[in-house]
Amino acid sequence: MRLVLLGAPGSGKGTQAARLKEHLQVPHISTGDLLRAQVAAGSALGVQAKAIMDRGDLVSDDILLGMLENRFSRADTANGFILDGYPRNLVQAAALDGLLLRIGQPMDAAVQLDVDNELLIERIAGRARDQGRADDSPESVRKRLKVYDEQTAPVIEFYRQHGQLTVVDGVGSLDEVFTRIIEAIAPVREMG
Ligand code: B4P
């Protein structure tokens, strides 16, 4: 199963992807996690990315595509994957389409987790308290939501036009949202 999770910061992509990974037995590829690993390792890329991430902006498309190509070259993606945090703009959506076509692994489905802004801000504030992630400061969150509306929301339209989009209500307990995702992708899994 090749699945992409779409949704605003705090909509539950990372949270649900971790559960879907166990359920579908495919790797969870989070571009946010890949970038944070570079930051933690103190690589040149990580140093460059950290400042951009902390202020809530998007890291450059070239860096992201290189990172993704590298990740897809690993054998564990042969039976599918859950992609989380990518694509975040239309350039990335087209690049991903081209990459998956080249490796003969077209996307099966795109699931958008739908959550209103007030709740997103509340959830991220909770994570800021619990985990202290550098980009969960109020200013960065405001910026990330703005970037999402301007650059990432059009990606939803992209998948809708490709007939691959399913919108799932992302408000509810972790179990409730998980069950909705499983139900939403069931028809695609039956086909595959
Ligand atoms: P990400 O790591 O993708 O961060 P995110 O958008 O905040 O989502 P995340 O998956 O972590 O949070 P979730 O909604 O699960 O990106 C971070 C930064 O990296 C970006 O701002 C950008 O700078 C850079 N980046 C990443 N990808 C990029 C790309 N493709 N191009 C350019 N730059 C890129 O969870 C949030 C909180 O909500 C958690 O605390 C969770 O516990 C809680 N939660 C989730 N579901 C809940 C529920 N049902 N009920 C209650 N709480 C819930």
Side-chain angles (χ1 to χ4, degrees):
M1 175 92 198
R2 293 178 291 272
L3 179 70
V4 60
L5 289 182
L6 305 170
S11 59
K13 302 181 302 289
T15 307
Q16 295 297 334
R19 299 176 146 221
L20 285 165
K21 169 188 163 172
E22 300 304 324
H23 188 81
L24 300 173
Q25 290 293 304
V26 293
H28 166 204
I29 303 177
S30 156
T31 48
D33 287 349
L34 291 174
L35 286 167
R36 282 185 285 277
Q38 293 286 337
V39 172
S43 69
L45 192 159
V47 171
Q48 202 186 333
K50 183 173 181 355
I52 300 171
M53 291 168 78
D54 285 357
R55 63 171 193 261
D57 277 322
L58 295 183
V59 177
S60 98
D61 293 337
D62 289 346
I63 290 180
L64 263 294
L65 186 61
M67 246 176 40
L68 209 62
E69 278 178 331
N70 188 28
R71 182 63 188 82
F72 278 120
S73 69
R74 282 170 50 187
D76 65 345
T77 57
N79 293 325
F81 52 80
I82 301 151
L83 191 54
D84 151 26
Y86 192 100
R88 261 182 156 87
N89 60 32
L90 287 174
V91 171
Q92 294 185 4
L96 176 65
D97 233 24
L99 169 62
L100 295 182
L101 209 68
R102 269 202 314 280
I103 61 175
Q105 294 218 46
M107 197 64 84
D108 294 315
V111 171
Q112 181 206 349
L113 294 178
D114 189 28
V115 176
D116 66 50
N117 269 16
E118 226 168 282
L119 189 55
L120 295 173
I121 292 168
E122 213 177 283
R123 284 184 185 176
I124 297 176
R127 184 169 63 188
R129 277 193 305 273
D130 298 344
Q131 297 173 21
R133 217 171 88 174
D135 63 342
D136 281 343
S137 67
E139 310 82 71
S140 175
V141 171
R142 263 196 300 279
K143 183 65 190 285
R144 281 156 62 199
L145 290 174
K146 186 168 180 281
V147 168
Y148 178 80
D149 284 340
E150 290 174 358
Q151 300 194 47
T152 312
V155 171
I156 291 166
E157 226 17 70
F158 176 93
Y159 285 104
R160 197 192 306 277
Q161 281 169 15
H162 284 67
Q164 292 173 316
L165 182 72
T166 313
V167 181
V168 166
D169 180 4
V171 182
S173 70
L174 301 189
D175 285 343
E176 281 166 345
V177 177
F178 180 70
T179 304
R180 286 179 206 141
I181 298 174
I182 296 300
E183 283 169 3
I185 61 176
V188 184
R189 290 180 77 194
E190 277 158 23
M191 272 170 16

